[in-house]
C-alpha cells in the first residue's frame, strides 16, 4: 500500500517508467537471439515476442486498475487466498531479485569484454548494484520522476544508432519475412526468449497504486510497450538489415557491433561504440532500479512492513551473490534464458490466472476516491 | 536544520567511501604514451619472406619453429610473418600546421616504426611482437590490414576474420586488402603526400570509394559476406608501385574465406559495382563510335540495377536490368559530331554493348572460379524461399548451382551532357 502522499505519479511518468524499465541490458543481445531463432525472420520473432509481452502487460495493468490502491502482493491475497498468494509472491520476489542480479552481471560482462578488460567483473557489478540500492530507498514519487528524467538518455542511443545505420541496411537481408527453413518451434521459442526481455514492464503493477489517476494506467502501459517494443524492433531490423542474419547470429552483442560499424556523418566520430556504451549505462541503471525496487517493495508488502528501505539494504548481498553465480559467459546466457522463460509464468501466466479467478469470483478493489 | 543536514551527510559519507574507490577506473588506466598504437598490419607466408631478405627495416628477429605460445608443431597451418607499423607518438604531427620544421615529422618513415614477428595465428604473432615492444600494443587505431595473395590463397582469411571480430579494440571499418606481392612492402612505403604511411594507404582506398572507383568492401562487409548463405566476399586487390604508392589493381575473389582469383583488370571493379547496385559510378570507358574509327571517352555518374529471378522448368533464371547515366568527357577526333542526336544515340548503344560484354566477361570469370561475388544467391534466398529451402539449402550447394544458371543482362544507357564544349 502506497501512502496517499506519494500518490503523485502522472500518466507521463508511468509511461516513462514502463519504457525505461523495458529498455535495458537485453538490447545488446536481442538481435542475436532473434536471428538465431528465425534468421531473416528475426523481426517477426521480435514482433511475436512483443505481442506476447503486451498480452501479459495488459493483464497486469487491468488487474492493477481493478485494485487501484493495492499492490500485486496485496490483491493476489484477496483473489486466490492468503497462503497460495504468498507462496507465488515469494517466487515473484525471488525471480525479480535474480533478474536484477543477472542483469548486473550481464552489464559487467559487457563492460569487462569491451571497455575495461582489467577491471574485475565483481567491481563493476557491485558498483552498479550499490548505486541502484542507494537510489531504491527513495519513495515512489522520486522513483517515477527519475524514470522520466532519464528517458531521453535511455531512448537516444538506440534511436541514433538506428537512424545512422539504416542507410547501410539492405532489404534483401530482411527477406524472406518468415526466414529460411522456418521452424515454428524455433520461432516460438525465440519469441518467448524475446518476450522475457520485456518482463520489467511488470513494474507497472507497482506504479499503479501511486498513480494520481489509475484509470490512465492502461494507456500508459500500451504507449510504453509500443515505444519500447518499437525501438527494439527497429534495432533488430537495422542490425539484421546491415549485417545479414547469419553474421548477426555470430556476434555476441550485435547492437554493439552496429554502434561500432556506424560512422557519424562527416566522420566526426569514427566509431560510436564508446559513446553508445556510456549512454547505455543509464538504460541499464533504470532497469535495475525498477526490478530492484519491485523486489524490495514486494517484500515490504509480503511482510506487512511500512517501509521498504530496510529490505533494500538486506537484499544487496543476495542480489550480488546471484550475479556471481554463473561461472562463465556461456552459462550466464543459458541461465538468463532459463530464468527469463521461467519468469514468464510469473509475469504473464500468474496475472492470467488472477484475472480469470477475478472474472469468476468477482473480486474487486476499493474504488479510487475521486481526485 | 543544520543537524538534519549533518545527519544526511553522515549517511552519505560511508556510501561514498564505499563506492568511490570502485568507480575510478584505475585498473584500466593506460596513458596514451604507454600504448604502442598499431596503425597497420601486414601478413605474409613465411616462404615469401625467405625468398627475399628484408630490406632496410632494422634488425628482424630470428624466426625459429617455436612460436611465442610455446607450440613447436603448429597445427592448422604454417608459420606466417606479421609486419606491424607502429606510430611513434612524438613524431606524428597532429594538425596541418605542424610538421615540416622540427620534430622530424616531415619524413614519413620516421613517424612510424616497422617491426616483424611470426606466428601461426594472429594472436600468436602479436604476442611475439609484444615481446619486442615495451608498451602495450593497442589495436584501436588499426586502419589497414594487408594480406599477401600467397597467404590468402594458401591459408584463407579465417584466422584473421576470427581474430578481428573477436577483438574488442579493432574497428569494423578497417580496410583489409590483398596485395599482389609481399604484403610487408606496403608497410614500408613512404609516400610524400601524407606524413603517416598507413594513413596514405587508407586514404587511397577511402577516396577511391568516394570517387566511385571502389565498392565499400571494408572488413565488416567482408565478415558479413563470408557467412551470408548466398554470396561470396571480395576484397580490394593492390600492388606496390615504385615503393611509394599503391595501385588499385582490381578485386580479389573469394570462395568463403579462401581466395580463388582476381578480376582481370581494374575496370572490372566498375563492372562489379554496377552489378551489385552501387549507384555512383566513377570510371571512364573508351568506346568506339559505331561506323567510325574514332573513339569517345564516356563517364558514368549514376547507375541503377535491378535483379529478377524467374523460373523455367523449375530452374532459376536470373535477369539483370541496368541503366547507366553518363557524360561524354573526351573525343578523339573532330570527325565525331556530338551535336547530332543520332550520334549520341549510337554512342549510347555502343556503351551499352561494351558494358554488356564487360559484364559477361566478369560473370564468366566468377563461374570459372566457382564464386558468387555479386550475391545472386541472396536474391534467390530472399525472394524464392521455397526453392532455396528445397533445392539449395547451403552455400556450397549454391556455388555448385551458380555456374549453370543463365543470366540475362539488359543495359540501357543515356548520355546527358558533353562538358563545356558544344560539339
Amino acid at each position: 500500500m502506497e501512502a496517499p502522499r506519494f500518490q503523485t505519479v502522472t500518466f507521463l511518468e508511468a509511461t516513462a517508467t514502463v519504457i525505461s524499465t523495458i529498455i535495458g541490458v537485453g538490447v545488446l543481445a536481442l538481435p542475436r537471439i532473434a536471428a538465431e531463432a528465425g534468421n531473416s525472420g528475426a523481426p517477426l520473432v521480435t514482433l511475436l515476442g512483443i505481442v506476447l509481452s503486451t498480452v501479459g502487460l495488459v493483464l497486469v495493468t487491468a488487474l492493477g486498475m481493478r485494485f487501484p490502491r493495492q499492490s500485486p502482493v496485496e490483491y493476489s491475497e484477496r483473489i486466490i487466498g492468503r497462503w497460495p498468494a504468498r507462496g507465488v509472491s515469494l517466487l515473484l520476489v525471488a525471480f525479480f531479485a535474480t533478474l536484477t542480479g543477472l542483469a548486473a552481471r550481464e552489464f559487467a560482462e559487457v563492460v569487462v569484454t569491451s571497455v575495461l578488460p582489467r577491471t574485475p567483473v565483481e567491481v563493476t557489478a557491485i558498483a552498479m548494484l550499490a548505486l541502484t540500492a542507494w537510489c531504491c530507498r527513495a519513495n515512489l514519487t522520486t522513483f517515477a520522476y527519475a524514470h522520466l528524467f532519464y528517458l531521453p538518455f535511455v531512448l537516444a542511443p538506440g534511436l541514433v544508432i538506428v537512424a545512422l545505420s539504416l542507410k547501410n541496411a539492405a532489404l534483401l537481408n530482411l527477406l524472406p519475412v518468415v526466414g529460411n527453413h522456418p521452424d515454428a518451434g524455433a520461432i516460438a521459442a525465440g519469441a518467448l526468449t524475446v518476450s522475457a526481455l520485456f518482463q520489467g514492464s511488470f513494474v507497472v503493477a507497482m506504479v499503479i497504486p501511486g498513480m494520481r489517476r489509475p484509470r490512465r494506467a492502461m494507456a500508459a502501459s500500451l504507449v510504453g510497450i509500443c515505444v519500447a517494443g518499437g525501438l527494439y524492433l527497429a534495432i533488430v531490423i537495422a542490425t539484421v538489415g546491415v549485417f545479414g542474419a547469419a553474421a548477426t547470429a555470430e556476434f555476441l552483442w550485435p547492437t554493439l557491433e552496429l554502434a561500432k560499424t556506424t560512422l557519424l556523418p562527416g566522420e566526426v566520430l569514427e566509431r560510436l561504440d564508446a559513446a553508445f556504451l556510456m549512454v547505455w549505462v543509464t538504460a541499464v541503471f533504470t532497469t535495475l532500479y525498477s526490478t530492484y525496487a519491485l523486489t524490495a517493495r514486494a517484500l515490504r508488502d509480503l511482510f506487512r512492513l511500512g517501509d521498504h528501505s530496510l529490505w533494500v539494504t538486506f537484499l544487496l548481498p543476495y542480489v550480488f551473490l546471484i550475479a556471481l553465480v554463473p561461472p562463465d559467459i556461456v552459462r550466464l546466457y543459458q541461465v538468463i534464458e532459463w530464468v527469463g522463460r521461467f519468469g514468464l509464468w510469473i509475469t504473464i501466466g500468474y496475472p492470467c490466472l488472477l484475472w480469470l479467478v477475478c472474472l469468476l469470483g468477482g473480486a474487486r478493489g476499493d474504488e479510487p476516491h475521486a481526485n | 536544520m543544520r543537524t538534519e543536514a549533518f545527519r544526511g551527510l553522515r549517511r552519505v559519507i560511508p556510501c561514498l567511501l564505499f563506492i568511490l574507490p570502485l568507480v575510478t577506473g584505475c585498473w584500466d588506466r593506460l596513458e596514451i604514451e604507454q600504448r604502442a598504437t598499431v596503425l597497420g598490419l601486414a601478413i605474409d607466408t613465411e616462404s615469401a619472406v625467405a625468398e627475399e631478405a628484408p630490406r632496410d627495416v632494422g634488425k628482424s628477429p630470428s624466426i625459429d619453429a617455436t612460436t611465442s605460445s610455446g607450440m613447436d608443431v603448429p597445427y592448422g597451418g604454417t608459420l606466417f610473418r606479421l609486419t606491424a607499423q607502429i606510430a611513434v607518438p612524438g613524431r606524428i604531427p597532429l594538425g596541418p600546421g605542424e610538421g615540416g620544421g622540427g620534430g622530424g615529422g616531415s619524413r614519413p618513415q620516421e613517424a612510424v616504426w616497422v617491426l616483424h614477428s611470426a606466428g601461426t595465428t594472429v594472436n600468436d604473432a602479436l604476442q611475439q611482437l609484444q615481446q619486442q615492444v615495451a608498451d602495450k600494443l593497442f589495436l584501436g587505431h588499426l586502419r589497414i590490414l594487408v594480406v599477401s595473395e600467397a597467404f590468402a590463397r594458401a591459408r584463407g582469411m579465417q584466422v584473421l576474420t576470427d581474430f578481428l571480430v573477436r577483438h574488442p579494440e579493432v574497428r569494423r571499418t578497417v580496410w583489409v586488402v590483398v596485395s599482389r606481392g609481399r604484403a610487408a612492402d606496403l608497410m614500408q612505403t613512404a609516400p610524400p603526400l601524407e606524413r603517416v604511411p598507413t594513413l596514405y594507404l587508407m586514404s587511397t582506398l577511402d577516396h577511391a570509394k568516394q570517387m566511385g572507383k571502389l565498392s565499400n568492401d571494408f572488413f565488416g562487409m567482408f565478415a558479413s559476406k563470408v557467412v551470408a548463405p548466398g554470396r561470396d566476399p571480395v576484397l580490394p586487390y593492390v600492388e606496390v608501385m615504385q615503393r611509394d604508392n599503391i595501385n588499385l589493381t582490381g578485386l580479389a575473389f573469394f570462395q568463403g574465406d579462401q581466395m580463388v582469383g582476381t578480376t582481370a583488370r581494374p575496370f572490372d571493379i566498375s563492372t562489379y559495382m554496377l552489378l551489385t547496385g552501387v549507384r555512383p559510378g566513377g570510371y571512364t570507358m573508351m568506346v568506339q563510335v559505331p561506323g567510325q574509327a574514332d573513339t569517345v571517352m564516356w563517364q558514368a555518374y549514376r547507375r541503377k540495377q535491378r535483379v529478377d529471378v524467374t523460373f523455367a522448368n523449375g530452374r532459376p533464371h536470373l535477369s539483370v536490368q541496368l541503366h547507366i547515366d553518363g557524360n561524354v568527357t573526351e573525343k578523339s577526333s573532330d570527325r565525331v559530331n556530338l551535336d547530332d542526336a543520332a550520334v549520341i544515340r549510337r554512342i549510347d548503344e555502343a556503351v551499352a554493348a561494351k558494358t554488356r560484354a564487360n559484364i559477361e566477361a566478369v560473370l564468366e570469370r566468377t563461374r570459372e572460379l566457382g564464386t558468387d561475388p555479386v550475391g545472386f544467391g541472396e536474391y534467390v534466398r530472399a525472394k524464392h524461399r521455397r526453392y532455396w529451402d528445397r533445392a539449395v539449402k547451403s552455400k556450397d550447394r549454391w556455388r555448385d548451382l551458380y555456374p549453370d544458371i543463365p543470366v540475362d543482362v539488359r543495359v540501357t544507357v543515356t548520355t546527358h551532357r558533353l562538358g563545356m564544349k558544344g560539339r
Side-chain angles (χ1 to χ4, degrees):
Chain A
M1 178 80 192
E2 214 54 50
R5 70 190 166 104
F6 293 131
Q7 288 169 357
T8 59
V9 180
T10 62
F11 167 74
L12 205 60
E13 285 167 2
T15 313
T17 306
V18 173
I19 296 171
S20 68
T21 303
I22 292 173
I23 298 173
V25 70
V27 68
L28 293 189
L30 169 71
R32 169 171 57 88
I33 295 168
E36 277 173 351
N39 57 71
S40 66
L44 179 74
V45 173
T46 315
L47 192 65
L48 288 175
I50 295 170
V51 169
L52 181 61
S53 321
T54 310
V55 171
L57 182 61
V58 164
L59 281 169
V60 171
T61 314
L63 277 170
M65 287 163 74
R66 205 174 164 111
F67 301 92
R69 289 298 170 225
Q70 281 174 306
S71 75
V73 174
E74 291 161 342
Y75 62 66
S76 62
E77 288 181 20
R78 248 172 98 169
I79 299 171
I80 59 169
R82 176 176 274 191
W83 290 108
R86 282 191 173 182
V88 183
S89 295
L90 208 59
L91 269 181
L92 185 121
V93 166
F95 168 66
F96 275 103
T98 312
L99 206 61
T100 313
L102 292 177
R105 171 67 182 272
E106 195 179 350
F107 167 75
E109 290 289 346
V110 175
V111 169
V112 79
T113 309
S114 59
V115 279
L116 302 174
R118 282 189 287 178
T119 305
V121 170
E122 295 83 356
V123 170
T124 316
I126 193 73
M128 201 69 182
L129 284 174
L131 177 70
T132 312
W134 192 10
C135 297
C136 272
R137 302 170 73 94
N139 56 53
L140 203 58
T141 305
T142 315
F143 173 84
Y145 189 74
H147 277 289
L148 182 61
F149 179 79
Y150 286 125
L151 187 64
F153 302 100
V154 172
L155 288 175
L159 285 176
V160 168
I161 296 293
V162 169
L164 291 179
S165 61
L166 271 180
K167 71 173 196 300
N168 295 325
L171 181 65
L172 225 48
N173 286 332
L174 295 162
L175 292 173
V177 175
V178 292
N180 288 103
H181 310 287
D183 172 7
I187 289 176
L192 284 180
T193 312
V194 170
S195 175
L197 301 178
F198 286 79
Q199 293 184 93
S201 60
F202 193 83
V203 75
V204 77
M206 174 186 121
V207 172
I208 288 173
M211 280 186 80
R212 205 152 23 174
R213 284 186 219 89
R215 257 171 305 160
R216 304 194 65 186
M218 189 58 87
S221 285
L222 288 177
V223 172
I225 201 156
C226 281
V227 171
L231 183 67
Y232 269 26
L233 192 62
I235 285 176
V236 171
I237 290 174
T239 313
V240 176
V242 169
F243 297 122
T248 305
E250 289 226 329
F251 297 130
L252 186 58
W253 297 304
T255 311
L256 198 56
E257 295 295 330
L258 195 62
K260 252 182 150 172
T261 313
T262 307
L263 302 175
L264 217 54
E267 310 199 352
V268 185
L269 273 182
E270 288 181 329
R271 50 195 284 182
L272 287 176
D273 54 332
F276 177 83
L277 278 177
M278 276 190 303
V279 189
W280 172 75
V281 171
T282 319
V284 177
F285 167 73
T286 51
T287 307
L288 290 176
Y289 190 18
S290 287
T291 51
Y292 202 120
L294 195 62
T295 315
R297 278 156 195 275
L299 274 172
R300 175 199 65 186
D301 294 334
L302 200 57
F303 289 89
R304 304 276 192 278
L305 292 171
D307 185 28
H308 65 277
S309 44
L310 172 75
W311 288 110
V312 169
T313 320
F314 283 171
L315 269 172
L316 187 58
Y318 290 101
V319 175
F320 181 54
L321 276 179
I322 291 167
L324 298 186
V325 166
D328 55 55
I329 189 124
V330 177
R331 273 176 277 186
L332 171 67
Y333 271 103
Q334 274 172 5
V335 170
I336 288 174
E337 188 175 333
W338 185 79
V339 169
R341 294 243 186 109
F342 167 77
L344 292 177
W345 289 107
I346 295 175
T347 55
I348 300 180
Y350 185 46
C352 201
L353 175 81
L354 291 181
W355 184 248
L356 281 176
V357 176
C358 262
L359 286 186
L360 294 175
R364 184 169 288 279
D366 315 313
E367 280 300 310
H369 23 241
N371 301 325
Chain B
M1 213 35 213
R2 227 184 120 169
T3 47
E4 214 169 277
F6 253 139
R7 207 173 298 143
L9 211 60
R10 274 223 315 261
R11 247 196 283 166
V12 168
I13 283 173
C15 286
L16 283 180
L17 284 179
F18 174 65
I19 291 179
L20 278 183
L22 298 182
V23 294
T24 52
C26 283
W27 276 277
D28 286 285
R29 181 189 56 88
L30 188 60
E31 303 302 333
I32 192 156
E33 69 269 19
Q34 293 170 347
R35 288 174 171 176
T37 303
V38 180
L39 294 172
L41 286 174
I43 290 170
D44 278 295
T45 54
E46 191 51 37
S47 58
V49 183
E51 275 169 27
E52 223 184 313
R55 295 191 290 204
D56 51 335
V57 292
K59 199 172 164 291
S60 64
S62 63
I63 298 159
D64 53 44
T66 314
T67 65
S68 59
S69 49
M71 232 165 41
D72 2 54
V73 191
Y75 40 30
T78 43
L79 227 54
F80 63 78
R81 163 71 80 106
L82 184 82
T83 308
Q85 201 173 77
I86 296 171
V88 180
R91 299 261 176 78
I92 296 208
L94 297 172
E98 290 181 49
S106 56
R107 302 213 38 211
Q109 297 102 315
E110 291 175 0
V112 293
W113 191 28
V114 179
L115 291 173
H116 300 284
S117 77
T120 53
T121 68
V122 183
N123 244 320
D124 193 21
L126 278 176
Q127 195 169 303
Q128 211 192 60
L129 190 66
Q130 184 70 75
Q131 299 290 90
Q132 311 167 35
V133 181
D135 303 320
K136 188 175 187 302
L137 294 174
F138 178 67
L139 296 174
H141 291 302
L142 179 65
R143 307 308 291 266
I144 188 160
L145 216 144
V146 189
V147 182
S148 76
E149 180 174 352
F151 182 89
R153 280 181 189 269
R155 287 277 303 268
M157 308 292 285
Q158 203 278 331
V159 58
L160 222 104
T161 320
D162 186 78
F163 171 77
L164 293 178
V165 172
R166 207 177 286 281
H167 202 293
E169 283 168 11
V170 176
R171 303 170 184 224
R172 294 296 169 261
T173 47
V174 60
W175 280 105
V176 177
V177 299
V178 176
S179 76
R180 182 176 221 148
R182 287 196 343 171
D185 290 350
L186 269 89
M187 292 292 112
Q188 288 150 23
T189 54
L193 273 180
E194 181 85 56
R195 278 161 294 193
V196 184
T198 34
L199 295 188
Y200 181 73
L201 296 186
M202 188 192 77
S203 41
T204 304
L205 296 163
D206 278 345
H207 295 166
K209 188 185 87 187
Q210 282 160 19
M211 289 186 284
K213 287 179 181 291
L214 180 63
S215 55
N216 196 15
D217 278 290
F218 56 93
F219 169 68
M221 201 61 100
F222 178 85
S224 294
K225 288 182 185 176
V226 162
V227 290
R231 76 183 309 171
D232 283 306
V234 295
L235 286 178
Y237 183 63
V238 301
E239 65 184 319
V240 179
M241 305 288 282
Q242 299 134 26
R243 280 205 69 182
D244 282 350
N245 60 341
I246 60 168
N247 179 25
L248 191 54
T249 319
L251 293 170
F253 288 133
F254 285 80
Q255 210 178 58
D257 61 52
Q258 201 79 32
M259 179 170 164
V260 289
T262 64
T263 52
R265 54 207 176 117
F267 194 85
D268 289 342
I269 302 176
S270 170
T271 309
Y272 164 78
M273 289 166 70
L274 176 63
L275 282 169
T276 48
V278 180
R279 277 177 72 88
Y283 279 89
T284 306
M285 67 158 73
M286 188 189 283
V287 284
Q288 194 171 13
V289 183
Q292 279 177 280
D294 309 296
T295 58
V296 292
M297 294 299 279
W298 195 90
Q299 182 167 27
Y301 67 87
R302 186 171 60 200
R303 307 180 290 195
K304 238 181 132 112
Q305 164 253 31
R306 182 193 162 99
V307 175
D308 285 305
V309 187
T310 50
F311 283 85
N313 304 325
R315 292 192 47 196
H317 188 105
L318 293 159
S319 61
V320 185
Q321 279 182 55
L322 301 158
H323 181 79
I324 314 175
D325 292 311
N327 305 321
V328 171
T329 55
E330 198 178 358
K331 63 178 180 182
S332 66
S333 149
D334 277 339
R335 283 189 298 271
V336 182
N337 180 17
L338 290 172
D339 208 13
D340 183 353
V343 173
I344 297 287
R345 214 162 39 239
R346 285 213 301 277
I347 289 174
D348 287 350
E349 279 158 19
V351 170
K354 190 157 183 186
T355 305
R356 246 189 330 267
N358 285 338
I359 290 171
E360 280 308 327
V362 169
L363 288 181
E364 194 45 46
R365 199 173 183 95
T366 64
R367 286 186 199 115
E368 282 162 18
L369 296 170
T371 171
D372 177 14
V374 180
F376 288 122
E378 282 292 296
Y379 287 93
V380 178
R381 182 196 62 75
K383 295 186 171 162
H384 298 276
R385 174 175 71 78
R386 280 168 219 286
Y387 174 76
W388 179 275
D389 288 354
R390 176 171 45 82
V392 186
K393 292 194 182 82
S394 73
K395 194 166 183 161
D396 286 334
R397 178 89 183 104
W398 172 250
R399 275 198 211 106
D400 293 343
L401 290 173
Y402 167 68
D404 299 324
I405 294 174
V407 183
D408 272 349
V409 180
R410 272 194 291 163
V411 184
T412 54
V413 171
T414 313
T415 302
H416 289 265
R417 280 169 282 274
L418 309 171
M420 300 288 273
K421 229 176 133 184
R423 48 205 303 141

